[in-house]
Amino acid sequence: MHDQNHKTTSLQRHLSFSLSGILIGMLCSFLIMSIGRLCFIHSFTYEAVAKTLHTEVFLNFVEKCVLFDVKYAAQAFLPALVGAFFLSFRPYLRRLYAKIFWLLNLTGFLYVLLFTVINYYYYLTYSRIIDVFFFSFLKEDPIATLKTLYQDYPLLQGSIALVLATIAYMWIFPRLQTKLADRLYIPKSGFKKICFVFCLTALYVLAIRGSLGTFPLRQNSSQVSSDPLVNLSVPNGPAAFHWARGWAKQQAIIPEISLAKLQDDYAFLNVKIDENSLYDPLLFTTAKNEFLESNPPDIVISVQESMSTHMSLYDDEQKRDLLGRLRPHIKEDIFFNNFLSEGNGTMDSLIRMLLSTPDLNLSTSTQGGRDYVTNALRPFKEKGYKIVFVTGCQGSWRDMSNYFLRIGVDEIYEENTLKRLYPDATSFAWGVDDEYMWRGVLKVLREKHQSPLLILTLSISNHPPFRVAANVEPKTIALTEEELKRFPYPNTATLFATFRYANDQLGAFISEIKKDETLSKRTFLAVTGDHNMRGIGYDAHPDEMALGHAVPFYMYIPNAYRDHDSINYDPKHWGSQKDIFATVAAHTLSEGRMYTFGCDLLGNDKDCKFPYAYNNNAAVPWDGNYVCNIAEGFDFKALKLTGKNDLRAYTDPKLDAAQAPLCQKAEALSVLQRDLYFYQAKKGPMLKK
């Protein structure tokens, strides 16, 4: 009995010691992060945050700040919690825990304190919270990075202050711990004790998750306002470091690329270059057009989430309408069904379209600080265009808003902006529904503006989890059993209904443009999908190599501009996203200059340097005779295309390299594009802050 009582007393002391220590550590960490944020706001974002007072934005701001601080306070002391659990089963283990707790406590405290301070001075130096550049000394010039730290951070004074703060914390902590441990109630009975520990563990897990919703508290959760300064004030230092570390892990290794290697890449494409003409083969110059000079149009280039050509093949105007109000515009205007996405994911395609760089993590990597020659926004900026980005999703996704502002975008409308403009906006886990995104675009177009507009959009509604907006009556989409087998989703009918909703809202927007007497005369529209629908199982269907990467491309050109232009439109012509900005520039800019791998799809094919539709896994020559296997895991070089609208191919006979000569060129383009990116990522100029 004495031994049992001793064990119980020992366990009671262990629970009291552990719980009191972790609670005090978390409380101190919470206070450090909160005080750090107040200092951050006072120094950098006070005016922006002050504007939100007495609004719902401010309440949301405070809520998210508290949740972030609780989450990372809990994370800081997670090792202490794990140690308390696993070292609780034997008296000697409990004694060991009591001896090493000071180290776990100190580690958690320093983690919070250091990154709170670092985040403050990092922003002071670079005008942004901790990001992947924090890790640049591991991959780039460490001496230069350390010099920057020494020049911009008060290392000596800061180190002294941190040492003093740590001494004070370690002196006062055990005294507070003892007082709290004496006052804590710990159940004595075994069952109650188990329930007590279980409940505390559940609360701790909830604190680390930070949310009871679909997603845990994460980087997207920091978007509470349309003002980026308010959003920058939400995360604490440990949160910013955690995100930066995650993005850093995703970065590809950037090798050194020599001029000789680039010369070899070009030589394979029958192009000679030297050090002074490195990018000359990519130069694309548009024709002089006096009408364009006097009447620069507004332009909308839209990227639609999962606007899949394959999905559209299931459309039947009478029995299964998947296009809605988009249908008449496809029939009336320029529409390429034989078209490939350049990337195979949203950011993959966006970055390739905007910068011709094959790095889907560019917006969150140290390489994102470079100014790439192939920036497709540059020729429009040079012609005086104001560039606006409108999206229904959160601007913090992959740091999209901040990065786009750095590469030339002037203004951002994202989820929070649209919710402020349209309080009735319906939304879901990934953002605001497309209807309200298009309302935002119309608002920008209709507002009086001195400079011509280039509006980039990214829709979000047609993204899993699929559902139709609450204020929309979903259309019944009838599917056969065979069709249902192709889609690995629990509610395929809803998937198709969401696809129809996105197409219908796009069609409604185009109709509004055409009905508006002013907009219809001055607005160019260009629309494509970011990538094909996910998970349809192309690995088992080699004949669908082209179809598996196919997205449509739609264009509307006002009549007045067509009358003053030369347009050669063939709906059977193949193209890809590398050609979008070249095509748009060719018919909107007079004597515009850009560096691109793309071609004018409405121009003369003889002027095209890379005459094939290109995806990083597949390519198709302009005439569509065959599809090339560039990176897929299939045992053939090319397949003969049927020439039908479904884009499928003959699997037998397979074509060899001699029968499909452009396949090697497409592979060479992939290598050239990659190496030019690596070269610029190492040696290109830095973007201006």
Side-chain angles (χ1 to χ4, degrees), residues 426 433 467-473:
T426 56
D433 283 310
R467 100 288 176 256
V468 177
N471 62 342
V472 175
E473 182 67 30

Side-chain angles (χ1 to χ4, degrees), residues 399-418:
D399 203 28
M400 183 167 53
S401 288
N402 291 328
Y403 185 65
F404 284 2
L405 289 171
R406 294 205 297 274
I407 64 173
V409 172
D410 298 296
E411 190 173 359
I412 304 282
Y413 285 67
E414 49 90 58
E415 180 183 16
N416 291 288
T417 319
L418 296 174

Side-chain angles (χ1 to χ4, degrees), residues 73-294:
Q75 281 196 1
F77 282 83
L78 182 60
L81 178 69
V82 173
F85 180 81
F86 285 104
L87 298 178
S88 65
F89 298 102
R90 294 287 187 272
Y92 72 90
L93 292 177
R94 296 168 201 153
R95 291 192 295 271
L96 174 63
Y97 179 80
K99 291 180 180 179
I100 66 171
F101 179 81
W102 73 269
L103 180 60
L104 299 172
N105 177 26
L106 179 61
T107 301
F109 169 79
L110 288 177
Y111 170 75
V112 170
L113 181 61
L114 283 172
F115 285 109
T116 298
V117 173
I118 289 171
N119 192 55
Y120 178 94
Y121 285 102
Y122 194 89
Y123 190 91
L124 180 65
T125 305
Y126 300 108
S127 298
R128 56 185 189 264
I129 60 175
I130 297 171
D131 60 8
V132 291
F133 185 72
F134 180 81
F135 302 96
S136 64
F137 68 92
L138 298 176
K139 298 180 180 180
E140 296 188 356
D141 186 349
I143 297 176
T145 304
L146 288 172
K147 283 182 178 178
T148 301
L149 293 175
Y150 180 78
Q151 292 171 0
D152 295 323
Y153 290 90
L155 291 180
L156 181 60
Q157 304 94 311
S159 299
I160 294 173
L162 288 173
V163 169
L164 293 176
T166 302
I167 292 173
Y169 175 80
M170 297 304 289
W171 181 83
I172 197 173
F173 183 91
R175 290 158 177 78
L176 293 175
Q177 184 183 22
T178 300
K179 290 185 177 182
L180 180 59
D182 291 339
R183 290 167 173 74
L184 280 177
Y185 167 74
I186 305 295
K188 294 184 178 180
S189 72
F191 177 77
K192 289 183 179 180
K193 196 174 295 181
I194 292 173
C195 292
F196 180 75
V197 172
F198 178 83
C199 289
L200 287 178
T201 303
L203 288 173
Y204 205 94
V205 170
L206 179 60
I208 289 179
R209 191 174 193 276
S211 168
L212 289 171
T214 305
F215 298 105
L217 196 71
R218 53 186 183 160
Q219 188 168 358
N220 280 353
S221 306
S222 65
Q223 295 289 117
V224 299
S225 167
S226 58
D227 191 330
L229 290 178
V230 176
N231 298 329
L232 286 172
S233 307
V234 175
N236 48 53
F241 170 74
H242 177 76
W243 300 335
R245 185 178 60 179
W247 290 121
K249 288 180 179 178
Q250 295 185 35
Q251 284 184 213
I253 297 173
I254 304 297
E256 290 285 348
I257 299 295
S258 66
L259 179 62
K261 177 65 168 69
L262 290 174
Q263 288 175 320
D264 290 342
D265 293 345
Y266 275 117
F268 199 89
L269 294 164
N270 300 318
V271 177
K272 291 184 178 180
I273 60 133
D274 57 35
E275 188 173 2
N276 298 319
S277 63
L278 184 58
Y279 306 106
D280 287 0
L282 306 182
L283 180 61
F284 177 82
T285 304
T286 67
K288 181 177 177 61
N289 186 317
E290 293 181 358
F291 182 78
L292 285 176
E293 291 175 0
S294 303

Side-chain angles (χ1 to χ4, degrees), residues 289 291-292 329 331-335 514 520-521 524 554-570 587 602:
N289 186 317
F291 182 78
L292 285 176
H329 305 300
K331 294 178 179 179
E332 295 169 1
D333 303 318
I334 295 169
F335 184 73
K514 291 182 176 181
S520 64
K521 295 178 181 178
F524 271 66
Y554 163 88
M555 286 190 75
Y556 167 71
I557 301 178
N559 288 332
Y561 290 89
R562 298 185 75 147
D563 293 342
H564 292 84
D565 199 354
S566 176
I567 293 177
N568 181 22
Y569 168 49
D570 178 3
H587 301 279
L602 304 177

Side-chain angles (χ1 to χ4, degrees), residues 18 77 86 159 357 488 544 591 635 670:
S18 305
F77 282 83
F86 285 104
S159 299
T357 56
E544 294 178 351
E591 296 183 303
D635 61 346
S670 178

